Amino acid sequence: MLKKMILAGLAGTVALMTLGTAGSYADSGPDQTAYHSHKEGGSPCEGLEGCTFVQLKGDPRTGASEAMFTLKAGTPFPPHWHTSPEHVVGVSGVMLWHVKGRKTYRVGAGDYLYYPSKAVHWGKCAPGADCVYYVYDSKPYDFHPAERK
């Protein structure tokens, strides 16, 4: 109970701090890396309407980093993968997170999801409430569009 209260408080704080971004995904082939600089106008939310983020720690251009994301209720995110394995912790709302070759995970407040390097994933914030979630990447951030197949 205390853990959920702390997470709910953190979600409110993050919602007040979060900055919006706009743009479009880089046009890249399956063998290319698309990088979105957090400090030069780009972001992991680039091209994803309804997405905002706050960089918490680290420099995603050079190494490990932590960020907090918010997706508007009902917002989907496309299939993609990263070089870094990802650690995700739900703060509020419910994310429906698909990991290729595995099942769909419901990531809500206090839930933890890990998937390895290059795991194709996609999903959406479930209708009803905006989704706030924390992501830790142990390697520099990159984004590779992928197919669901």
CSV table of all heavy atoms in Angstrom, one decimal, residues 3-4 7-8 68 86-97 103-115 131-136:
chain,number,residue,atom,x,y,z
A,3,LYS,N,4.0,1.5,-1.0
A,3,LYS,CA,4.7,1.6,-2.3
A,3,LYS,C,3.8,2.2,-3.3
A,3,LYS,O,4.2,3.0,-4.1
A,3,LYS,CB,5.1,0.1,-2.7
A,3,LYS,CG,5.8,0.1,-4.0
A,3,LYS,CD,6.5,-1.3,-4.2
A,3,LYS,CE,5.7,-2.0,-5.3
A,3,LYS,NZ,6.3,-3.3,-5.6
A,4,LYS,N,2.5,1.8,-3.4
A,4,LYS,CA,1.6,2.4,-4.4
A,4,LYS,C,1.3,3.8,-4.1
A,4,LYS,O,1.2,4.6,-5.1
A,4,LYS,CB,0.3,1.6,-4.4
A,4,LYS,CG,0.5,0.2,-5.0
A,4,LYS,CD,-0.7,-0.3,-5.7
A,4,LYS,CE,-0.4,-1.7,-6.3
A,4,LYS,NZ,-1.2,-2.0,-7.4
A,7,LEU,N,4.4,5.7,-5.4
A,7,LEU,CA,4.4,5.7,-6.9
A,7,LEU,C,3.4,6.7,-7.4
A,7,LEU,O,3.6,7.4,-8.3
A,7,LEU,CB,4.1,4.3,-7.4
A,7,LEU,CG,5.3,3.3,-7.3
A,7,LEU,CD1,4.8,1.9,-7.7
A,7,LEU,CD2,6.5,3.7,-8.1
A,8,ALA,N,2.2,6.7,-6.7
A,8,ALA,CA,1.2,7.7,-7.2
A,8,ALA,C,1.7,9.1,-7.0
A,8,ALA,O,1.4,10.0,-7.8
A,8,ALA,CB,-0.1,7.5,-6.4
A,68,MET,N,11.6,9.0,-17.4
A,68,MET,CA,10.2,8.8,-17.1
A,68,MET,C,9.4,9.2,-18.3
A,68,MET,O,9.6,10.3,-18.8
A,68,MET,CB,9.9,9.6,-15.8
A,68,MET,CG,8.6,9.3,-15.2
A,68,MET,SD,8.6,7.8,-14.3
A,68,MET,CE,9.5,8.3,-12.8
A,86,GLU,N,16.0,-3.4,-21.7
A,86,GLU,CA,15.3,-2.4,-21.0
A,86,GLU,C,14.6,-2.9,-19.7
A,86,GLU,O,14.1,-4.0,-19.7
A,86,GLU,CB,14.2,-1.8,-21.9
A,86,GLU,CG,14.8,-0.9,-22.9
A,86,GLU,CD,13.8,0.0,-23.6
A,86,GLU,OE1,12.7,-0.4,-23.9
A,86,GLU,OE2,14.2,1.2,-23.8
A,87,HIS,N,14.6,-2.1,-18.7
A,87,HIS,CA,13.9,-2.3,-17.4
A,87,HIS,C,12.8,-1.3,-17.3
A,87,HIS,O,13.1,-0.1,-17.4
A,87,HIS,CB,14.9,-2.1,-16.3
A,87,HIS,CG,16.1,-3.0,-16.4
A,87,HIS,ND1,16.3,-4.1,-15.7
A,87,HIS,CD2,17.3,-2.9,-17.1
A,87,HIS,CE1,17.4,-4.7,-15.9
A,87,HIS,NE2,18.1,-3.9,-16.8
A,88,VAL,N,11.6,-1.7,-17.2
A,88,VAL,CA,10.4,-0.8,-17.1
A,88,VAL,C,9.7,-1.0,-15.8
A,88,VAL,O,9.5,-2.1,-15.4
A,88,VAL,CB,9.5,-1.1,-18.3
A,88,VAL,CG1,8.3,-0.2,-18.2
A,88,VAL,CG2,10.2,-1.0,-19.6
A,89,VAL,N,9.3,0.1,-15.1
A,89,VAL,CA,8.5,0.1,-13.9
A,89,VAL,C,7.3,1.0,-14.2
A,89,VAL,O,7.4,2.1,-14.5
A,89,VAL,CB,9.3,0.6,-12.7
A,89,VAL,CG1,8.4,0.6,-11.5
A,89,VAL,CG2,10.6,-0.3,-12.5
A,90,GLY,N,6.1,0.4,-14.0
A,90,GLY,CA,4.9,1.2,-14.1
A,90,GLY,C,4.7,2.1,-12.9
A,90,GLY,O,5.0,1.7,-11.8
A,91,VAL,N,4.3,3.3,-13.2
A,91,VAL,CA,4.0,4.3,-12.1
A,91,VAL,C,2.5,4.5,-12.0
A,91,VAL,O,2.0,4.5,-10.9
A,91,VAL,CB,4.8,5.6,-12.4
A,91,VAL,CG1,4.5,6.7,-11.3
A,91,VAL,CG2,6.3,5.4,-12.4
A,92,SER,N,1.8,4.8,-13.1
A,92,SER,CA,0.4,4.9,-13.1
A,92,SER,C,-0.2,4.6,-14.4
A,92,SER,O,0.5,4.5,-15.4
A,92,SER,CB,0.0,6.3,-12.7
A,92,SER,OG,0.4,7.3,-13.6
A,93,GLY,N,-1.5,4.3,-14.5
A,93,GLY,CA,-2.1,3.8,-15.7
A,93,GLY,C,-1.7,2.4,-16.0
A,93,GLY,O,-1.1,1.8,-15.2
A,94,VAL,N,-2.2,1.9,-17.1
A,94,VAL,CA,-1.9,0.5,-17.5
A,94,VAL,C,-1.4,0.5,-18.9
A,94,VAL,O,-2.1,0.9,-19.8
A,94,VAL,CB,-3.1,-0.5,-17.3
A,94,VAL,CG1,-2.7,-1.9,-17.9
A,94,VAL,CG2,-3.5,-0.5,-15.9
A,95,MET,N,-0.1,0.0,-19.1
A,95,MET,CA,0.5,-0.2,-20.4
A,95,MET,C,0.2,-1.6,-20.8
A,95,MET,O,0.4,-2.6,-20.0
A,95,MET,CB,2.0,0.1,-20.4
A,95,MET,CG,2.4,1.5,-20.1
A,95,MET,SD,2.0,2.6,-21.5
A,95,MET,CE,3.1,1.9,-22.7
A,96,LEU,N,-0.2,-1.8,-22.1
A,96,LEU,CA,-0.3,-3.2,-22.7
A,96,LEU,C,0.9,-3.3,-23.5
A,96,LEU,O,1.0,-2.7,-24.6
A,96,LEU,CB,-1.6,-3.3,-23.5
A,96,LEU,CG,-2.9,-3.0,-22.7
A,96,LEU,CD1,-4.1,-2.9,-23.6
A,96,LEU,CD2,-3.1,-3.9,-21.5
A,97,TRP,N,1.9,-4.1,-23.0
A,97,TRP,CA,3.2,-4.2,-23.6
A,97,TRP,C,3.4,-5.5,-24.3
A,97,TRP,O,3.4,-6.5,-23.6
A,97,TRP,CB,4.2,-4.0,-22.5
A,97,TRP,CG,5.5,-3.3,-22.8
A,97,TRP,CD1,6.5,-3.8,-23.6
A,97,TRP,CD2,5.9,-2.0,-22.4
A,97,TRP,NE1,7.5,-2.9,-23.7
A,97,TRP,CE2,7.2,-1.8,-23.0
A,97,TRP,CE3,5.3,-1.0,-21.6
A,97,TRP,CZ2,7.9,-0.6,-22.8
A,97,TRP,CZ3,6.0,0.1,-21.4
A,97,TRP,CH2,7.3,0.3,-22.0
A,103,LYS,N,4.3,-13.0,-24.4
A,103,LYS,CA,2.9,-12.6,-24.3
A,103,LYS,C,2.7,-11.1,-24.2
A,103,LYS,O,3.7,-10.4,-24.2
A,103,LYS,CB,2.3,-13.3,-23.0
A,103,LYS,CG,2.9,-12.9,-21.7
A,103,LYS,CD,2.3,-13.6,-20.6
A,103,LYS,CE,2.6,-12.9,-19.3
A,103,LYS,NZ,1.9,-13.4,-18.1
A,104,THR,N,1.5,-10.7,-24.0
A,104,THR,CA,1.2,-9.3,-23.7
A,104,THR,C,1.3,-9.1,-22.2
A,104,THR,O,0.6,-9.8,-21.5
A,104,THR,CB,-0.2,-8.9,-24.2
A,104,THR,OG1,-0.2,-9.0,-25.7
A,104,THR,CG2,-0.5,-7.4,-23.9
A,105,TYR,N,2.0,-8.1,-21.8
A,105,TYR,CA,2.1,-7.8,-20.3
A,105,TYR,C,1.3,-6.6,-20.0
A,105,TYR,O,1.4,-5.6,-20.7
A,105,TYR,CB,3.6,-7.6,-20.0
A,105,TYR,CG,4.5,-8.8,-20.3
A,105,TYR,CD1,5.1,-8.9,-21.5
A,105,TYR,CD2,4.6,-9.8,-19.3
A,105,TYR,CE1,5.9,-10.1,-21.8
A,105,TYR,CE2,5.4,-10.9,-19.6
A,105,TYR,CZ,6.0,-11.0,-20.9
A,105,TYR,OH,6.8,-12.1,-21.1
A,106,ARG,N,0.6,-6.6,-18.9
A,106,ARG,CA,-0.1,-5.5,-18.3
A,106,ARG,C,0.8,-4.8,-17.3
A,106,ARG,O,1.1,-5.4,-16.2
A,106,ARG,CB,-1.4,-5.9,-17.7
A,106,ARG,CG,-2.4,-6.4,-18.7
A,106,ARG,CD,-3.7,-6.8,-18.0
A,106,ARG,NE,-4.4,-5.8,-17.3
A,106,ARG,CZ,-5.1,-4.8,-17.8
A,106,ARG,NH1,-5.4,-4.8,-19.1
A,106,ARG,NH2,-5.7,-3.9,-17.0
A,107,VAL,N,1.4,-3.7,-17.6
A,107,VAL,CA,2.3,-3.0,-16.7
A,107,VAL,C,1.6,-1.8,-16.1
A,107,VAL,O,1.3,-0.8,-16.7
A,107,VAL,CB,3.6,-2.5,-17.5
A,107,VAL,CG1,4.5,-1.8,-16.5
A,107,VAL,CG2,4.2,-3.7,-18.2
A,108,GLY,N,1.2,-2.0,-14.8
A,108,GLY,CA,0.6,-1.0,-14.0
A,108,GLY,C,1.5,-0.5,-12.9
A,108,GLY,O,2.6,-0.8,-12.8
A,109,ALA,N,0.9,0.3,-12.0
A,109,ALA,CA,1.7,0.9,-10.9
A,109,ALA,C,2.4,-0.2,-10.1
A,109,ALA,O,1.7,-1.1,-9.6
A,109,ALA,CB,0.7,1.7,-10.0
A,110,GLY,N,3.7,-0.1,-10.0
A,110,GLY,CA,4.5,-1.0,-9.2
A,110,GLY,C,4.9,-2.3,-9.9
A,110,GLY,O,5.7,-3.0,-9.4
A,111,ASP,N,4.4,-2.5,-11.2
A,111,ASP,CA,4.8,-3.6,-12.0
A,111,ASP,C,6.2,-3.4,-12.6
A,111,ASP,O,6.5,-2.3,-13.0
A,111,ASP,CB,3.8,-3.9,-13.0
A,111,ASP,CG,2.5,-4.4,-12.5
A,111,ASP,OD1,2.4,-4.9,-11.3
A,111,ASP,OD2,1.4,-4.2,-13.2
A,112,TYR,N,6.9,-4.5,-12.8
A,112,TYR,CA,8.3,-4.4,-13.4
A,112,TYR,C,8.3,-5.3,-14.6
A,112,TYR,O,7.8,-6.5,-14.6
A,112,TYR,CB,9.3,-4.9,-12.4
A,112,TYR,CG,10.7,-5.1,-12.9
A,112,TYR,CD1,11.5,-4.0,-13.2
A,112,TYR,CD2,11.2,-6.4,-13.2
A,112,TYR,CE1,12.8,-4.2,-13.7
A,112,TYR,CE2,12.5,-6.6,-13.7
A,112,TYR,CZ,13.3,-5.4,-14.0
A,112,TYR,OH,14.5,-5.6,-14.5
A,113,LEU,N,8.9,-4.9,-15.7
A,113,LEU,CA,9.0,-5.6,-16.9
A,113,LEU,C,10.5,-5.5,-17.4
A,113,LEU,O,11.0,-4.4,-17.5
A,113,LEU,CB,8.1,-5.2,-18.0
A,113,LEU,CG,8.2,-5.8,-19.4
A,113,LEU,CD1,7.9,-7.3,-19.3
A,113,LEU,CD2,7.3,-5.1,-20.4
A,114,TYR,N,11.1,-6.6,-17.7
A,114,TYR,CA,12.5,-6.6,-18.3
A,114,TYR,C,12.4,-7.4,-19.6
A,114,TYR,O,11.7,-8.4,-19.7
A,114,TYR,CB,13.5,-7.3,-17.4
A,114,TYR,CG,14.8,-7.6,-18.1
A,114,TYR,CD1,15.8,-6.7,-18.2
A,114,TYR,CD2,15.0,-8.9,-18.6
A,114,TYR,CE1,17.0,-7.0,-18.8
A,114,TYR,CE2,16.2,-9.2,-19.3
A,114,TYR,CZ,17.2,-8.2,-19.4
A,114,TYR,OH,18.3,-8.5,-20.0
A,115,TYR,N,13.1,-6.9,-20.6
A,115,TYR,CA,13.3,-7.7,-21.9
A,115,TYR,C,14.7,-7.4,-22.4
A,115,TYR,O,15.3,-6.4,-22.2
A,115,TYR,CB,12.2,-7.4,-22.9
A,115,TYR,CG,11.9,-6.0,-23.1
A,115,TYR,CD1,12.5,-5.2,-24.0
A,115,TYR,CD2,10.8,-5.4,-22.4
A,115,TYR,CE1,12.2,-3.8,-24.2
A,115,TYR,CE2,10.5,-4.1,-22.6
A,115,TYR,CZ,11.1,-3.3,-23.5
A,115,TYR,OH,10.8,-2.0,-23.6
A,131,CYS,N,-0.7,6.9,-18.9
A,131,CYS,CA,0.3,6.0,-18.4
A,131,CYS,C,1.6,6.7,-18.1
A,131,CYS,O,2.1,7.4,-19.0
A,131,CYS,CB,0.5,4.8,-19.4
A,131,CYS,SG,-0.9,3.8,-19.7
A,132,VAL,N,2.1,6.5,-16.9
A,132,VAL,CA,3.4,7.0,-16.6
A,132,VAL,C,4.3,5.8,-16.2
A,132,VAL,O,3.9,4.9,-15.5
A,132,VAL,CB,3.4,7.9,-15.4
A,132,VAL,CG1,4.8,8.4,-14.9
A,132,VAL,CG2,2.5,9.1,-15.7
A,133,TYR,N,5.5,5.7,-16.8
A,133,TYR,CA,6.4,4.6,-16.5
A,133,TYR,C,7.9,5.0,-16.6
A,133,TYR,O,8.2,6.0,-17.3
A,133,TYR,CB,6.1,3.4,-17.5
A,133,TYR,CG,6.2,3.7,-18.9
A,133,TYR,CD1,7.4,3.4,-19.7
A,133,TYR,CD2,5.2,4.4,-19.6
A,133,TYR,CE1,7.5,3.7,-21.0
A,133,TYR,CE2,5.3,4.7,-21.0
A,133,TYR,CZ,6.4,4.3,-21.7
A,133,TYR,OH,6.6,4.7,-23.0
A,134,TYR,N,8.7,4.3,-15.8
A,134,TYR,CA,10.1,4.6,-15.7
A,134,TYR,C,10.9,3.6,-16.6
A,134,TYR,O,10.5,2.4,-16.6
A,134,TYR,CB,10.5,4.4,-14.3
A,134,TYR,CG,12.0,4.2,-14.0
A,134,TYR,CD1,12.8,5.3,-13.8
A,134,TYR,CD2,12.5,2.9,-14.0
A,134,TYR,CE1,14.2,5.1,-13.5
A,134,TYR,CE2,13.9,2.8,-13.7
A,134,TYR,CZ,14.7,3.9,-13.5
A,134,TYR,OH,16.0,3.7,-13.3
A,135,VAL,N,11.9,4.0,-17.3
A,135,VAL,CA,12.7,3.1,-18.1
A,135,VAL,C,14.2,3.3,-17.8
A,135,VAL,O,14.7,4.5,-17.8
A,135,VAL,CB,12.5,3.3,-19.6
A,135,VAL,CG1,13.4,2.5,-20.5
A,135,VAL,CG2,11.0,3.1,-20.0
A,136,TYR,N,14.9,2.2,-17.6
A,136,TYR,CA,16.4,2.2,-17.4
A,136,TYR,C,17.0,1.5,-18.6
A,136,TYR,O,16.6,0.3,-18.9
A,136,TYR,CB,16.8,1.5,-16.1
A,136,TYR,CG,18.3,1.3,-16.0
A,136,TYR,CD1,19.1,2.4,-15.8
A,136,TYR,CD2,18.8,0.0,-16.2
A,136,TYR,CE1,20.5,2.1,-15.8
A,136,TYR,CE2,20.2,-0.2,-16.2
A,136,TYR,CZ,21.0,0.9,-15.9
A,136,TYR,OH,22.4,0.7,-15.9
